[in-house]
């Protein structure tokens, strides 16, 4: 009977240990795959198809290109620079695709995600906007095609940076009027829709097609450590210690008290000392008051009127002179950008074109790597929600509908603080559900064994 009991107990401990090992979550921290020389390319592919309305803020690399794009950097067609960059891209794609996944999912859309490695065993369609929250590496391993629906957005907040986001898919299609963030690495082809904005890179092992109208790709700069929200300075000492210490006796020391020998006897006329130049005391002494019937001396009559009251120093009122510089006049005719930081963490941007400009077009707001786009006229006030936290510049650009002219309106530095409160991100994974189930099964097994022991 005892042997049977110990065998049952050993089996229970084995099951419990197995459940514990398999239900503990494995935290796989994503590692930057390292793009090398491919990091400077907005479009890189074995072949590329572009048009003049394709705008690349970066380099273009291709083994064979059709069309001509607007490129701010270099255009490398089947040369040594292209060959090196293409090789670095393939190495980075294999590195990103082989990393251990922390999260296994099947759908993507309407989610708030934290840094990590996400694996999808199937094709994925981003049907609604997603938010990447927090600084760190994001790697998305797609086991099929990746498609973003029209007008969807990938948003960044709480320090997330476009330079840290990587996508690996068999094939990719970027929807029209959508905003894509991160480096797209395709094992075959990439197709980019009209009026789409990409803050990242489009790298394909075969072909990149970006011949739709108004396609914009901006290569993000190298990642920086997020600047923490500055803490307020300590309360200054209300009593500052002036330095240097002023002369304790800056005013000449007049003799306020007349010499006892100078005080005239009652009824005697005070005689001023010749050559002294002393101003008589403004307050007459008792001896200075004439007796009844006595005629006061001229000195007694004039002294109170000629000397100001003690302690009162007349302060001259400065009058404006022609030498004083006039305040500089503000140029109201130039383009301007003003940014207000609201209490809920949103930004209100007031922008206008130069005075006298009348136009309609598209306003583009680059807010810490997060792109916003809205139609408007020559002046606009736009409020952006869920803006990134940190210190960075807000860049504003206007694209005229009439001729497609791009006008850089201006940029403003902002420091967006973290707003407390709100809904916490959904960070639970299926591993935690499995752990809960394993614990519940263990408790049931323990109760069963105790019950069996009692009967034996």
């Amino acid at each position: 009977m005892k042997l049977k009991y110990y065998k049952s107990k050993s089996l229970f401990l084995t099951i419990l240990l197995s459940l514990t090992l398999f239900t503990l979550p494995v935290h796989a921290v994503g590692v930057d795959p390292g793009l090398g020389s491919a990091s400077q390319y907005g479009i890189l592919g074995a072949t590329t198809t572009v048009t003049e309305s394709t705008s690349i803020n970066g380099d273009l690399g291709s083994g064979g290109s059709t069309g001509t794009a607007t490129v701010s950097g270099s255009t490398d067609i089947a040369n040594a620079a292209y060959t090196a960059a293409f090789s670095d891209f393939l190495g980075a794609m294999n590195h990103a695709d082989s990393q251990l996944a922390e999260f296994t999912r099947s759908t993507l859309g309407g989610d708030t995600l934290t840094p990590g490695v996400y694996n999808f065993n199937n094709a994925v369609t981003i049907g609604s906007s997603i938010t990447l929250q927090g600084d760190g590496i994001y790697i998305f391993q797609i086991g099929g095609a990746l498609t973003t629906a029209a007008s969807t957005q990938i948003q960044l907040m709480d320090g997330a940076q476009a330079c840290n986001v990587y996508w690996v898919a068999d094939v990719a299609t970027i929807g029209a009027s959508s905003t894509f963030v991160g480096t797209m690495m395709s094992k075959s082809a990439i197709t980019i829709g009209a009026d789409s904005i990409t803050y990242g890179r489009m790298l394909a092992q075969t072909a990149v097609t970006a011949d739709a109208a108004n396609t914009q790709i901006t290569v993000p700069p190298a990642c920086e450590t997020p600047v923490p929200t500055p803490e307020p300075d300590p309360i200054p000492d209300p009593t500052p210690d002036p330095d240097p210490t002023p002369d304790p006796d800056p005013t000449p020391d007049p003799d306020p008290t007349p010499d006892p020998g100078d005080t005239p006897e009652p009824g005697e006329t005070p005689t001023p000392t010749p050559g002294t130049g002393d101003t008589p005391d403004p307050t007459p002494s008792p001896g200075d008051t004439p007796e009844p019937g006595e005629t006061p001396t001229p000195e007694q009559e004039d002294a109170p009127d000629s000397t100001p009251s003690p302690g009162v120093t007349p302060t001259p009122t400065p009058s404006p002179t022609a030498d004083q510089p006039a305040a500089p006049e503000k140029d109201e005719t130039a383009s301007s950008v003003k940014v207000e930081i609201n209490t809920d963490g949103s930004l209100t941007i007031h922008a206008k074109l130069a005075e006298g400009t009348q136009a309609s077009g598209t306003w583009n707001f680059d807010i810490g790597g997060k792109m916003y786009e809205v139609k408007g006229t020559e002046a606009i006030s736009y409020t952006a929600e869920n803006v990134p936290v940190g210190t960075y510049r807000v860049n504003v650009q206007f694209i005229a509908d009439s001729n497609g002219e791009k006008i850089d309106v201006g940029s403003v530095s902002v420091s967006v603080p973290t707003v407390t409160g709100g809904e916490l991100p959904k960070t639970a994974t299926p591993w935690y559900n499995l752990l809960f189930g394993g614990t519940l099964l263990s408790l049931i097994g323990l109760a069963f064994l105790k019950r069996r022991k009692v009967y034996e």
Side-chain angles (χ1 to χ4, degrees):
M1 184 72 68
K2 265 187 181 180
L3 181 60
K4 188 175 181 181
Y5 168 72
Y6 283 121
K7 285 183 178 180
S8 300
K9 189 172 183 180
S10 299
L11 179 61
F12 166 72
L13 292 176
T14 302
I15 295 174
L16 179 61
L17 180 60
S18 299
L19 288 172
T20 303
L21 290 175
F22 282 104
T23 55
L24 286 177
V26 179
H27 292 279
V29 178
V31 177
D32 192 308
L35 289 170
S37 61
S39 62
Q40 61 192 11
Y41 288 86
I43 289 181
L44 180 67
T47 62
T48 58
T49 302
V50 295
T51 66
E52 292 183 355
S53 64
T54 303
S55 175
I56 304 174
N57 187 6
D59 295 349
L60 168 65
S62 176
S65 179
T66 300
T68 302
T70 302
V71 182
S72 67
S74 63
T75 300
D76 299 314
I77 307 298
N79 57 12
Y82 158 74
T83 302
F86 195 79
S87 176
D88 289 346
F89 147 59
L90 295 179
M93 182 171 63
N94 292 331
H95 185 195
D97 199 34
S98 62
Q99 293 190 33
L100 179 64
E102 179 180 3
F103 306 101
T104 301
R105 301 170 62 99
S106 59
T107 60
L108 188 61
D111 300 296
T112 297
L113 306 174
T114 55
V117 181
Y118 295 80
N119 181 266
F120 300 79
N121 294 322
N122 49 275
V124 173
T125 297
I126 302 179
S128 57
S129 300
I130 65 174
T131 300
L132 307 182
Q133 181 179 24
D135 181 49
I137 302 295
Y138 295 80
I139 296 179
F140 298 90
Q141 303 165 342
I142 312 298
L146 172 65
T147 303
T148 67
S151 302
T152 56
Q153 292 186 347
I154 299 174
Q155 302 173 343
L156 304 176
M157 64 181 300
D158 292 348
Q161 303 179 73
C163 53
N164 279 334
V165 182
Y166 299 92
W167 304 80
V168 181
D170 292 345
V171 63
T173 301
I174 308 303
S177 302
S178 64
T179 299
F180 186 85
V181 173
T183 299
M184 182 68 245
M185 297 184 287
S186 173
K187 298 175 184 177
S188 57
I190 299 175
T191 303
I192 307 172
D195 299 312
S196 64
I197 298 174
T198 298
Y199 199 76
R201 307 171 183 89
M202 292 292 162
L203 316 179
Q205 192 166 352
T206 58
V208 178
T209 302
D211 58 353
N214 300 325
T215 301
Q216 300 180 39
I217 300 175
T218 300
V219 177
C223 287
E224 299 179 356
T225 303
V227 180
T229 303
E231 297 181 359
D233 295 334
I235 300 174
D237 185 0
T239 307
D241 185 11
D243 187 21
T245 304
D247 187 354
D249 190 13
T251 307
D253 187 13
D255 187 5
T257 307
D259 187 85
D262 296 337
T263 303
E265 295 297 330
E268 181 182 355
T269 302
T271 304
T273 304
T276 59
D278 293 338
T279 302
D281 188 19
T283 304
S285 61
D288 294 335
T289 304
E291 295 295 331
E294 182 181 355
T295 303
T297 64
E299 291 83 357
Q300 292 173 339
E301 293 178 345
D302 297 336
D305 296 333
S306 59
T307 305
S309 301
V312 179
T313 302
T315 303
T317 302
S319 58
T321 63
D323 296 336
Q324 294 179 345
E329 295 183 359
K330 184 177 180 181
D331 186 4
E332 298 292 345
T333 64
S335 301
S336 65
V337 177
K338 296 180 181 179
V339 179
E340 298 178 2
I341 302 176
N342 304 316
T343 56
D344 60 355
S346 62
L347 294 183
T348 299
I349 305 172
H350 306 281
K352 69 173 184 177
L353 301 180
E355 184 177 343
T357 302
Q358 294 184 353
S360 62
T362 302
W363 289 91
N364 291 325
F365 305 98
D366 179 357
I367 306 178
K370 184 176 177 181
M371 307 299 295
Y372 297 82
E373 179 180 322
V374 63
K375 292 288 186 179
T377 56
E378 61 274 3
I380 192 171
S381 292
Y382 178 74
T383 299
E385 306 288 345
N386 299 322
V387 299
V389 174
T391 300
Y392 46 82
R393 297 192 71 82
V394 175
N395 300 309
V396 180
Q397 184 185 68
F398 180 82
I399 303 176
D401 287 339
S402 58
N403 55 9
E405 179 185 4
K406 296 180 181 179
I407 302 174
D408 292 325
V409 181
S411 62
V412 178
S413 295
V414 297
S415 294
V416 182
T418 301
V419 179
T420 58
E423 182 180 356
L424 294 175
K426 301 175 182 178
T427 57
T429 69
W431 290 110
Y432 293 96
N433 297 329
L434 186 58
L435 176 61
F436 176 75
T439 303
L440 182 61
L441 290 174
S442 300
L443 293 175
I444 295 174
L446 182 61
F448 174 76
L449 288 177
K450 285 185 176 182
R451 179 183 177 89
R452 184 174 180 180
K453 181 180 178 181
V454 170
Y455 280 104
E456 290 178 351

